[in-house]
Amino acid sequence: MSDSFTLALPQGETEQERCSARIADCTALILAGGDSRRMGRDKAALVLGGRTLLETVTAAMQQVFPQVLVSVRQPRAGVDLPQVCDEVAASGPLAGLVAGLAQAKTPWVFAIACDMPFISSALVEGLAMLRGQHQAVVPMVGGFEQPLAAFYATSAQEAMRTALAAGDRSMRGVLQNLDVRYVSEAELRETDPQLRSFFDLDTPQDLQEAQEK
């Protein structure tokens, strides 16, 4: 697989065929089991542009991946997608990722937080092209890893389960024990110039800003 971030659409190939051909070996995992403490209410159910955040992110993922799972603490009513519950209670997104990797029928998972409504399909496709033999492909924005908008191979499960067993719930800590292809801001801006994909809604102020975008 090419290590270039440049995308080219072969002559005569449709957008649907391109997505299917490139990311058919991956399942999207939408993480929707967070506490939403700073927001003060369930972020997945927040409405933006007439749809909930979960509906918005789901629609975006279905454009790129043939399979989509939703990671939850407890089953959600009204979600017409396969749901996977955390194997280890109260262990944050790492537990959701482990459960998703275990249930996925593909060798890769793309993990995305449900509060990132502006995720770009072009950016996701670009990240997919960088997987190669790595265990993870993780964007870097503002000098920080973005582990909840990243690709993970099923081979990463062992390191993740080891961390959980030791009581370490840190996603960034787990990355130190994986073969990670970090993606710089310069590379990310080739497909998402303003890095809108990484705007997440943590607070009521973030929601208001998103409504103005």
Side-chain angles (χ1 to χ4, degrees):
M1 186 173 292
S2 171
D3 204 40
S4 169
F5 206 69
T6 302
L7 298 174
L9 185 63
Q11 186 175 5
E13 184 180 13
T14 67
E15 186 73 16
Q16 181 177 0
E17 289 170 339
R18 176 176 67 165
C19 293
S20 176
R22 285 189 174 156
I23 323 187
D25 63 343
C26 182
T27 298
L29 177 67
I30 304 174
L31 298 163
D35 287 331
S36 304
R37 292 176 182 173
R38 295 172 62 192
M39 183 63 73
R41 48 186 169 144
D42 181 13
K43 288 193 289 186
L46 291 175
V47 176
L48 180 67
R51 295 192 295 188
T52 67
L53 294 187
L54 181 55
E55 289 171 342
T56 297
V57 175
T58 295
M61 294 299 97
Q62 288 177 327
Q63 291 179 5
V64 183
F65 300 100
Q67 302 176 62
V68 180
L69 299 175
V70 179
S71 168
V72 295
R73 288 188 177 182
Q74 297 178 339
R76 283 180 172 271
V79 176
D80 190 25
L81 286 171
Q83 301 181 53
V84 54
C85 296
D86 294 354
E87 296 178 7
V88 182
S91 296
L94 182 57
L97 183 52
V98 167
L101 282 166
Q103 184 159 322
K105 302 295 192 298
T106 55
W108 285 87
V109 158
F110 178 73
I112 179 71
C114 69
D115 65 347
M116 301 177 73
F118 304 119
I119 187 69
S120 160
S121 59
L123 180 134
V124 174
E125 292 172 30
L127 294 176
M129 295 176 68
L130 302 178
R131 290 175 293 167
Q133 300 301 311
H134 303 293
Q135 291 178 292
V137 177
V138 180
M140 295 288 295
V141 177
F144 294 96
E145 302 95 336
Q146 303 296 314
L148 300 187
F151 280 92
Y152 296 94
T154 54
S155 64
Q157 283 189 77
E158 182 178 354
M160 294 178 182
R161 290 184 182 278
T162 298
L164 283 179
D168 182 3
R169 302 183 301 170
S170 169
M171 288 290 300
R172 292 185 172 92
V174 166
L175 294 178
Q176 297 177 9
N177 295 311
L178 298 177
D179 175 2
V180 181
R181 168 52 159 100
Y182 290 103
V183 187
S184 69
E185 281 195 19
E187 292 174 293
L188 297 171
R189 289 183 188 277
E190 291 182 24
T191 50
D192 188 354
Q194 297 181 342
L195 301 179
R196 281 169 50 89
S197 294
F198 303 99
F199 183 90
D200 58 345
L201 281 64
D202 288 327
T203 67
Q205 291 73 28
D206 292 336
L207 177 59
Q208 182 177 350
E209 184 177 348
Q211 291 169 339
E212 297 170 354
K213 285 184 175 292

